Amino acid sequence: MTHAALALPSLPPGVLLEAVSPGLDAAVALAVVVPTFRRPALLLRTLTSLGAQDTKRRFAVIVVENDAEGRAGLEAARPLIEAGTIDGMAVVAEARGNCSAYNAGFAAARRILPRLETALIIDDDEAAEPGWIEAHLSALERFGADVSGGPQVPVFEEPGREALADHPVFRPPYEASGPVQALVSSGNVAIRARVLQRMGEPLFDTRFDFTGGGDADLFSRCARAGFRFAWCHEAAVHEVVPARRTEFSWINARALRNGALSTLVQRGRDGRARTLAKSLALALAAPPRSAWAAWRSRSLLIGLYHLQIAAGRLQGEFGRVGEQYRKPDSN
């Protein structure tokens, strides 16, 4: 690779550049955005997995600290970045919320890496398998895609909860690699730079900062813009699931939220009338679908999901969406 001088242009308001690795090269065409919020130990696990990637490509890691006051993630990552152990940079996104963190990471990538071709996202509670980067890039090429997604395999902290991996809240949406019509999660994706250029800034709609769903909204807008999606089952990450996320109250809140968000995203695409019609149709279909799912899975909890989605969609029709990210200690 031909080395190019690294320019440090001004970042958007509220995005602060805090650390840059000494050898970071402006010719780097690949970036990995890692948003973090009050999980320094897990962040180090994520960064370790990135350092173990089986690839000859040079890539820059962009750690995005979203706790502007505590900065625990920044302080955990800073020594690795400043020593060059991790090639990349750390920025602080002063505005709270996952969409704001993603936006800060992509803004930094586009400005500081002018030859950027592809950006990936991995969350700070995830660890990538060694072939993660190469699998995503291969999928983009093989399937002619602009965005590829991969599975977030749950790793339950509480013993004996492994059966929950079959619950729709934790189960990947696809089981095999190939072109797909839609993606819904940004926690494990690769996005070509032309998507970032076309969709503009801010990339994620910050109205979804504390509800989630900014990823589904973005991918819905990308689909309307003509971009293509792929699923890469080989590009797996392993996501730590704390004990509180295995409790019925959390799973119920997440399912209701998912339903409400699907209403909001569809309304932006199809309008209010068609969205309401689908919400009502799903409400009518939910009881038999839930009964069938419960019988087939031998799990009442899994069976309830269709009813919860339907109830959440109706809540969404009235603008009610649970803000699970508002209180991080209970999320």
Side-chain angles (χ1 to χ4, degrees):
M1 176 183 292
T2 301
H3 289 266
L6 184 70
L8 296 178
S10 297
L11 296 179
V15 181
L16 310 176
L17 182 62
E18 293 289 335
V20 180
S21 59
L24 185 59
D25 190 335
V28 170
L30 186 62
V32 180
V33 175
V34 188
T36 185
F37 184 83
R38 298 179 185 175
R39 291 192 282 216
L42 288 180
L43 172 63
L44 291 177
R45 169 179 175 265
T46 304
L47 296 178
T48 298
S49 76
L50 295 178
Q53 286 298 292
D54 186 11
T55 181
K56 295 181 179 179
R57 307 173 198 262
R58 193 169 181 189
F59 61 93
V61 176
I62 303 177
V63 175
V64 185
E65 173 62 82
N66 199 217
D67 181 10
E69 291 76 34
R71 301 191 174 199
L74 170 63
E75 295 312 314
R78 186 194 296 275
L80 299 176
I81 294 171
E82 293 183 342
T85 306
I86 293 292
D87 202 21
M89 68 193 82
V91 300
V92 172
E94 292 187 314
R96 274 271 320 273
N98 62 348
C99 292
S100 293
Y102 288 140
N103 288 340
F106 284 115
R110 292 184 64 198
R111 286 162 174 78
I112 297 176
L113 303 174
R115 300 185 192 180
L116 183 71
E117 295 178 0
T118 307
L120 298 93
I121 300 177
I122 183 171
D123 285 338
D124 66 347
D125 56 355
E126 298 170 345
E129 293 192 353
W132 178 68
I133 287 177
E134 287 297 330
H136 266 303
L137 297 182
S138 175
L140 291 173
E141 292 296 327
R142 281 188 295 146
F143 305 123
D146 302 292
V147 185
S148 66
Q152 296 161 271
V153 181
V155 179
F156 297 99
E157 284 188 333
E158 184 177 5
R161 307 298 284 173
E162 289 75 17
L164 282 174
D166 290 329
H167 192 283
V169 163
F170 302 109
R171 189 175 64 228
Y174 304 105
E175 296 181 353
S177 298
V180 295
Q181 292 298 310
L183 294 172
V184 296
S185 174
S186 59
N188 178 13
V189 296
I191 305 176
R192 292 192 186 274
R194 59 175 173 254
V195 177
L196 309 180
Q197 178 68 28
R198 174 80 177 276
M199 302 310 293
E201 294 181 354
L203 186 66
F204 288 81
D205 189 333
T206 55
R207 291 179 298 175
F208 295 96
D209 259 337
F210 297 106
T211 62
D215 35 21
D217 170 73
L218 170 63
F219 297 143
S220 177
R221 289 186 280 118
C222 287
R224 297 199 297 275
F227 291 115
R228 293 170 294 181
F229 304 98
W231 182 256
C232 182
H233 210 64
E234 298 77 21
V237 299
H238 297 270
E239 179 183 15
V240 173
V241 180
R244 64 181 177 277
R245 291 192 177 188
T246 64
E247 297 171 358
F248 174 79
S249 59
W250 186 91
I251 294 173
N252 180 62
R254 176 56 59 97
L256 292 172
R257 188 212 67 163
N258 288 353
L261 289 173
S262 70
T263 293
L264 298 185
V265 171
Q266 185 188 355
R267 187 182 296 170
R269 181 183 67 240
D270 298 333
R272 188 176 185 88
R274 290 183 64 182
T275 303
L276 178 59
K278 182 173 181 178
S279 294
L280 293 175
L282 288 175
L284 291 174
R289 292 180 72 192
S290 276
W292 169 247
W295 181 84
R296 185 179 58 184
S297 66
R298 301 295 191 268
S299 169
L300 180 60
L301 185 61
I302 292 176
L304 281 172
Y305 188 70
H306 292 294
L307 287 169
Q308 292 163 327
I309 289 291
R313 281 192 65 102
L314 293 176
Q315 289 181 358
E317 295 291 348
F318 296 96
R320 293 181 56 195
V321 184
E323 293 188 327
Q324 281 193 301
Y325 298 141
R326 179 71 71 175
K327 298 179 179 180
D329 293 340
S330 61
N331 179 43

